[in-house]
Amino acid sequence: MLGDLVKNRVDSKKPRVEGLTFIIDKFQSLDKESFELLSPFIDTVKIYGALPLLVPEMVDVHVSTGSTIAEFAILENSITPLAKKAAEVGFDTLELGENNVDLLPEDKKKVVDVITSQDLDLLWKVGKKDPRHQLSIEETLTKIDQAVALGSKKVVLEANEGLGVGIYDEKGSIKWNFVGALTARYPPNTFVFEAPFESQQSALIAEFGQRVNLAEIRSDAITSIESQRRGFLSKSVFGVSYLRKDPEGGPAAKFMYYIIKTKYPIDQSELANISHLPRRTVQAAIEELKRQGLIIERNSLDDARKKMYHPMQSDWL
């Protein structure tokens, strides 16, 4: 009835590389006919626990393990048997994480080699489940750098229950400064954002568009997410603010941010001249704003030795 109003998906044919939807299977009831109807909107099903309920191949949906079982296998020196068994029974992807283990880069490489030797895809998950033991922005970026270097096609950002973990604060709101720091270094389509709550899903779609990759999606939320990807609003949209927070820190960082927002692109010398602040203060403020993900540093088109500063914007689309 509303076909003329619906936006087409940019990447409608599977296997998609953007706009991915990863749903979770906790053995809830979903009949075969309903799943076949919803399958065009699903890219991967992640099976919880150790006993897989495999999804038939005919619906063209990949099947992934969760990261917990892989962590257990690593701790028990059993990653090779796990990878072989996963390939044998029909899994497409193994999800890896470091919630309970901290692996050295060379150990990660060995694990990746074992998984890829079985013709399995790998997804590296970054983050800790415990709200009391969270990674800093710099620690998160270091883990992401390692995952990308090891060939992970996407990097999953841990959210656990969506409260006080990763990019979410204790109320479940998105810490846009955190997100900005990540997307300042990597394009948003590098990430698969775990988003357990509808408000989080709506905010990320509103910010990054239909091609944003989402995970931890319940089966009863599939149609809502697909509708939002196609341009229809969710009821949660009306209660979500997408405005980033003001910069944190001292007056110098806030002043630099104001100048960069109003005068960009601008280099460090111009910032010092306008602000009348010492060069060292200007440089420290720039580094703080970069750490918070509020500005981007780019080479000047006129002089490659110059660095130009821009405010962070969602212009990747």
Side-chain angles (χ1 to χ4, degrees):
M1 291 186 294
L2 299 175
D4 293 339
L5 302 178
V6 178
K7 295 180 181 178
N8 292 324
R9 286 288 291 268
V10 174
D11 203 350
S12 59
K13 293 184 179 179
K14 295 183 182 181
R16 283 184 279 259
V17 295
E18 297 176 344
L20 303 175
T21 299
F22 289 57
I23 73 165
I24 51 177
D25 185 351
K26 292 187 176 181
F27 304 102
Q28 65 268 40
S29 175
L30 186 64
D31 63 82
K32 180 174 179 287
E33 290 75 17
S34 296
F35 191 83
E36 288 178 346
L37 184 66
L38 297 172
S39 63
F41 315 138
I42 306 168
D43 295 281
T44 295
V45 174
K46 185 168 78 174
I47 309 297
Y48 264 62
L51 299 174
L53 179 63
L54 295 179
V55 178
E57 292 183 3
M58 63 182 178
V59 293
D60 194 21
V61 174
H62 287 188
V63 183
S64 170
T65 66
S67 60
T68 301
I69 191 172
E71 285 191 42
F72 177 77
I74 290 170
L75 288 170
E76 297 294 322
N77 295 316
S78 300
I79 192 65
T80 298
L82 173 66
K84 287 181 177 178
K85 191 64 176 178
E88 178 186 326
V89 300
F91 278 97
D92 303 288
T93 304
L94 251 66
E95 186 180 81
L96 301 171
E98 294 179 272
N99 181 57
N100 298 303
V101 295
D102 286 306
L103 299 174
L104 296 172
E106 54 267 29
D107 293 328
K108 291 182 179 181
K109 179 67 166 59
K110 292 176 183 176
V111 172
V112 168
D113 289 343
V114 168
I115 292 170
T116 54
S117 71
Q118 299 298 320
D119 292 326
L120 292 166
D121 290 330
L122 71 98
L123 273 176
W124 207 282
K125 179 184 278 192
V126 171
K128 302 286 188 180
K129 295 182 184 295
D130 190 340
R132 298 168 300 175
H133 301 97
Q134 289 300 293
L135 302 179
S136 67
I137 291 176
E138 286 304 318
E139 289 171 330
T140 301
L141 283 168
T142 298
K143 297 287 188 184
I144 293 168
D145 291 341
Q146 293 173 356
V148 171
L150 288 167
S152 185
K153 293 180 180 179
K154 303 287 182 186
V155 178
V156 181
L157 299 179
E158 175 71 68
N160 198 19
E161 299 297 327
L163 298 171
V165 172
I167 65 170
Y168 304 111
D169 65 19
E170 63 279 1
K171 296 181 179 179
S173 299
I174 296 174
K175 298 187 287 188
W176 289 112
N177 292 355
F178 201 138
V179 174
L182 305 185
T183 55
R185 185 173 300 186
Y186 292 98
N189 59 1
T190 304
F191 305 111
V192 179
F193 297 95
E194 289 194 343
F197 296 139
E198 187 178 359
S199 59
Q200 296 164 351
Q201 299 155 12
S202 297
L204 289 164
I205 293 172
E207 178 70 11
F208 295 119
Q210 65 167 248
R211 290 185 288 173
V212 69
N213 306 311
L214 301 175
E216 295 300 290
I217 307 303
R218 302 187 318 275
S219 58
D220 59 359
I222 297 167
T223 52
S224 172
I225 287 174
E226 185 65 19
S227 296
Q228 290 176 74
R229 290 191 192 276
R230 303 293 189 94
F232 292 94
L233 295 179
S234 159
K235 62 179 181 294
S236 67
V237 168
F238 300 101
V240 174
S241 171
Y242 309 109
L243 298 177
R244 290 181 175 83
K245 298 176 182 177
D246 291 331
E248 300 171 356
K254 295 175 181 177
F255 189 26
M256 287 300 105
Y257 184 57
Y258 172 77
I259 296 173
I260 292 171
K261 275 206 310 182
T262 54
K263 302 289 185 181
Y264 75 92
I266 187 169
D267 65 19
Q268 192 172 133
S269 297
E270 292 175 296
L271 285 169
N273 290 334
I274 292 173
S275 65
H276 301 292
L277 292 173
R279 183 172 293 274
R280 183 176 295 179
T281 303
V282 171
Q283 189 170 2
I286 288 172
E287 291 303 315
E288 177 61 24
L289 293 172
K290 286 166 57 180
R291 185 190 68 79
Q292 294 182 37
L294 292 173
I295 63 172
I296 302 173
E297 181 182 87
R298 291 177 176 155
N299 290 326
S300 169
L301 296 177
D302 300 319
D303 185 348
R305 296 169 297 179
K306 275 187 178 182
K307 302 294 185 183
M308 309 300 293
Y309 299 98
H310 304 245
M312 180 64 193
Q313 297 178 347
S314 298
D315 57 359
W316 70 288
L317 291 174

